[in-house]
């Protein structure tokens, strides 16, 4: 038995939890951090059999992998307060994953 | 030293924390999950000596064991909108428990 | 790789997180406990290389060590409801730290 602790972006958490529960994995969501850390994280606890670890890692990677999106920020570029949309590539997503060995796992 | 991570129902958490602290165990309560997981869970971290593990598991089982209660739901059963209370057995409680080995435990 | 779980007083958490991030450690803050445990705790997850453990423990100890402060409580000491400030030594701070071995650490 392993305990997977996955720290993911708040935006990615609902989709990840849905994907995991669809495949019958049991997920516990810990409330996310206060505001003073950069952007909101969600910490998930996922208890899995040893042979399920790779599948869960694949699911996390599919949903949460760091990816680049192009966003449009408005910037002042001209006299007369004309705003021109300026395309910008930003990185979103990403996950930090710890896998711990579980000595004993019990459900009552 | 072991770290016991116990995920219990919100309703069972206060009684469990009381029982554990009465026996001098030190419990840390993590804030519970958001609403989109089924019913509210509370995650507790309990650091214990190896020889205390069984006692703590017994306390958790006593307080949190899955049990059946009979509840009365109102159901429409008749023409004319008569509501008849309908007894229903539902399962409540339950706990998921991970026991991890602690390499080093420090208090400062 | 090790996972350090540090439970510290709410008051000490911002300073500790600042000190750790200044030295490039990655910290995840879990939301603190409800009100019914004595005073608010913050739980931090810190993933570190084995050789960084001692440095992180030193940082935690510097910021969070139990220390005594002298506070002035007002006490009634005289007839006629005279309030006399009464100096009182109280212990604040402190941290409970679990170090767990990480079987596998992944960032995606
Ligand atoms: Ni195992
Ligand atoms: Ni031990
Ligand atoms: Ni290691």
């Amino acid at each position: 038995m392993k305990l997977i602790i996955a720290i993911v972006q708040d935006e990615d958490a609902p989709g990840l939890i849905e994907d995991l529960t669809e495949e019958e994995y049991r997920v516990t969501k810990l409330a996310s951090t206060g505001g003073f850390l950069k952007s909101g994280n969600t910490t998930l606890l996922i208890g899995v059999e040893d042979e399920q670890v790779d599948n869960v890692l694949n699911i996390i990677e599919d949903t949460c992998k760091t990816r680049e999106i192009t966003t449009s920020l408005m910037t002042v570029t001209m006299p007369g307060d004309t705003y021109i949309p300026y395309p910008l590539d930003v990185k979103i997503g990403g996950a930090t994953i710890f896998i711990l060995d579980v000595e004993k796992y019990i459900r009552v």
Side-chain angles (χ1 to χ4, degrees), chain A residues 26 105-108:
Chain A
R26 303 168 54 82
Y105 170 75
I106 300 161
R107 298 188 58 195
V108 296

Side-chain angles (χ1 to χ4, degrees), chain A residues 1 50 101-102:
Chain A
M1 192 81 190
D50 297 20
D101 190 48
V102 173

Side-chain angles (χ1 to χ4, degrees), chain A residues 11-24:
Chain A
E11 295 74 26
D12 291 338
L16 176 57
I17 291 170
E18 199 190 312
D19 290 351
L20 289 168
T21 49
E22 265 170 22
E23 299 198 22
E24 313 286 321

Side-chain angles (χ1 to χ4, degrees), chain A residues 57-71:
Chain A
L57 292 180
N58 286 338
I59 295 173
I60 297 174
E61 185 162 0
D62 282 352
T63 313
C64 304
K65 194 165 45 183
T66 307
R67 61 265 184 201
E68 219 168 51
I69 58 165
T70 303
T71 182

Side-chain angles (χ1 to χ4, degrees), chain A residues 27-46:
Chain A
V27 183
T28 299
K29 177 179 174 281
L30 301 180
S32 52
T33 69
F36 60 94
L37 282 187
K38 58 179 176 295
S39 89
N41 294 317
T42 297
T43 299
L44 301 180
L45 304 181
I46 312 156

